[in-house]
Amino acid sequence: MIEEARLATTDEVVAELEKRTTFVMVSHVKPDGDTLGAGLALGIALKTLGKRVYYFQQDPVPRNLRFLPDTEYVSRGLPADLPEDTLFVFFDMSSVARAGEYLPAVARKNILNIDHHLGNERFGAFNYIIESEASTGSCVLLLLQAMRLPITPAVATCLLTCIMTDTGGFMHSNTTPDVLRTAAMLMEAGADKVQITENIFANKRFAAQRLLGFALSNATLEEDGRYCWTYVDEAMLERAGADGEDTEEIVNHLRAVEGVEVAALFKAFDGAVRVSLRSSGRINVQAVAATMGGGGHFMAAGLTYPGDLQAAIAGVREALRKAGL
Ligand code: AMP
Ligand code: MN
Ligand code: MN
């Protein structure tokens, strides 16, 4: 049996951040406010110490996150003259593959893995993983505080974006009193909560709402009302004039149906079937997703299904039944 890499302490990570001069902040494919906000927050803070910082992200910055500071520097390219000891910091991903295939291979000794997912593969030389934190941004905040770096309004806005993204605007059950205290502190530090709310939760394109309508009108309730699922395919995207970014909230509407314990959204476009799973608390959807090569959290998980839409619908239903739905 391969021994699992141990977790790094806050002091060890701080020592490494202080020692290195050049950093690449890496966010996951199909980025959300947590992966991107966490990298931007750490990057902006490290730049005040005179460090060189780059942001790598395979996919473009989603429309609703472009208000965040430094997003103009996010790209899928890297400079040719990176020093050999550049530290690559991976945010909010349980496996290195979630960074996508454009990122060149990085030596393990140059990887810092900051995350809060269940079942993180601990792929870094330094693994700063706190499963009890509501967001990866909250893990970054602990590091900034340990380094006694000032939480500027820009940094605070990035970190509050992480928290609001992963708590669904303080709606999900991971919204603990501590999370609310941290959010209050970030607002006092200058985080622009109105801007975050407007951009992330109240700025839907008309096409996105049309798509939501199509998806909801095809929704199916099964297992005596405990399982609600629907799908979005290329034809629906086209009919609505929408794209993949417009699918974000759909699964939450399914989960919000009375009596529903698990919701699933099947996204059959861009040459793959990606599945978003949400739980209302009884079924661990991370464990279910993990049986099909995916991952996530107890209440929110995802996977890419190796097959067509019909196979995915049948396969996920079967896996959920096995998990006791
Ligand atoms: P989503 O449904 O895309 O919002 O993702 C919900 C959660 O599952 C997030 O924490 C993701 O990081 C995680 N997740 C989504 N897709 C995958 C995947 N293919 N592999 C591992 N984790 C995933
Ligand atoms: Mn994420
Ligand atoms: Mn997260």
Side-chain angles (χ1 to χ4, degrees):
M1 194 180 104
I2 301 164
E3 205 184 319
E4 196 173 37
R6 83 176 169 84
L7 297 179
T9 65
T10 302
D11 287 348
E12 285 166 339
V13 177
V14 166
E16 212 52 41
L17 293 173
E18 283 171 348
K19 194 164 84 190
R20 309 266 184 148
T21 61
T22 308
F23 297 82
V24 177
M25 307 303 173
V26 184
S27 38
H28 62 67
V29 292
K30 309 281 172 197
D32 53 41
D34 190 28
T35 189
L36 182 58
L40 295 171
L42 186 60
I44 291 167
L46 287 175
K47 283 202 270 185
T48 67
L49 298 176
K51 310 279 190 184
R52 253 173 93 187
V53 173
Y54 300 95
Y55 303 103
F56 175 91
Q57 183 175 275
Q58 178 161 316
D59 295 327
V61 175
R63 288 180 292 275
N64 64 359
L65 296 174
R66 288 188 194 151
F67 72 98
L68 288 172
D70 261 14
T71 46
E72 64 270 35
Y73 304 121
V74 175
S75 93
R76 61 160 60 165
L78 287 174
D81 66 338
L82 285 176
E84 201 278 324
D85 68 344
T86 298
L87 190 67
F88 286 72
V89 190
F90 290 70
F91 297 91
D92 198 44
M93 48 192 119
S94 45
S95 71
V96 74
R98 295 272 296 147
E101 59 273 18
Y102 278 73
L103 185 72
V106 181
R108 188 172 183 130
K109 65 178 174 13
N110 288 332
I111 294 181
L112 165 59
N113 166 12
I114 305 180
D115 187 32
H116 67 134
H117 283 90
L118 300 179
N120 184 294
E121 290 175 6
R122 304 191 182 185
F123 52 86
F126 311 92
N127 297 288
Y128 194 63
I129 297 147
I130 312 175
E131 290 178 1
S132 57
E133 289 293 345
S135 71
T136 296
S138 316
C139 306
V140 168
L141 177 61
L142 295 175
L143 295 171
L144 298 183
Q145 288 171 330
M147 293 174 83
R148 301 192 189 289
L149 285 172
I151 308 298
T152 61
V155 169
T157 294
C158 293
L159 294 178
L160 188 57
T161 297
C162 297
I163 290 173
M164 290 181 64
T165 299
D166 276 23
T167 61
F170 306 117
M171 296 262 280
H172 302 332
S173 59
N174 56 354
T175 311
T176 59
D178 262 342
V179 164
L180 292 174
R181 272 188 285 271
T182 300
M185 180 279 281
L186 292 171
M187 284 180 74
E188 281 164 355
D192 192 340
K193 179 174 177 297
V194 171
Q195 196 189 32
I196 298 168
T197 310
E198 283 290 315
N199 278 280
I200 299 186
F201 300 102
N203 196 27
K204 302 290 176 222
R205 300 199 302 173
F206 186 58
Q209 304 302 60
R210 278 166 55 86
L211 184 68
L212 172 64
F214 298 155
L216 290 181
S217 63
N218 287 333
T220 303
L221 202 54
E222 294 179 357
E223 309 293 315
D224 290 327
R226 295 189 304 277
Y227 179 42
C228 189
W229 63 270
T230 192
Y231 65 93
V232 170
D233 62 14
E234 303 269 7
M236 290 162 74
L237 287 181
E238 199 167 317
R239 194 150 63 96
D243 64 24
E245 285 178 31
D246 297 314
T247 62
E248 200 95 309
E249 295 283 308
I250 296 172
V251 70
N252 297 326
H253 289 271
L254 307 180
R255 224 287 294 138
V257 173
E258 178 182 33
V260 165
E261 296 192 347
V262 175
L265 174 66
F266 297 85
K267 295 172 276 189
F269 49 82
D270 294 345
V273 183
R274 287 173 296 112
V275 188
S276 286
L277 297 174
R278 297 292 183 271
S279 167
S280 61
R282 189 172 69 83
I283 305 282
N284 178 355
V285 288
Q286 182 271 336
V288 175
T291 67
M292 294 171 283
H297 307 279
F298 194 104
M299 307 280 275
L303 62 121
T304 300
Y305 199 90
D308 67 9
L309 176 60
Q310 292 314 318
I313 291 167
V316 168
R317 182 191 290 115
E318 185 57 31
L320 286 168
R321 281 182 183 157
K322 269 196 198 135
L325 181 65

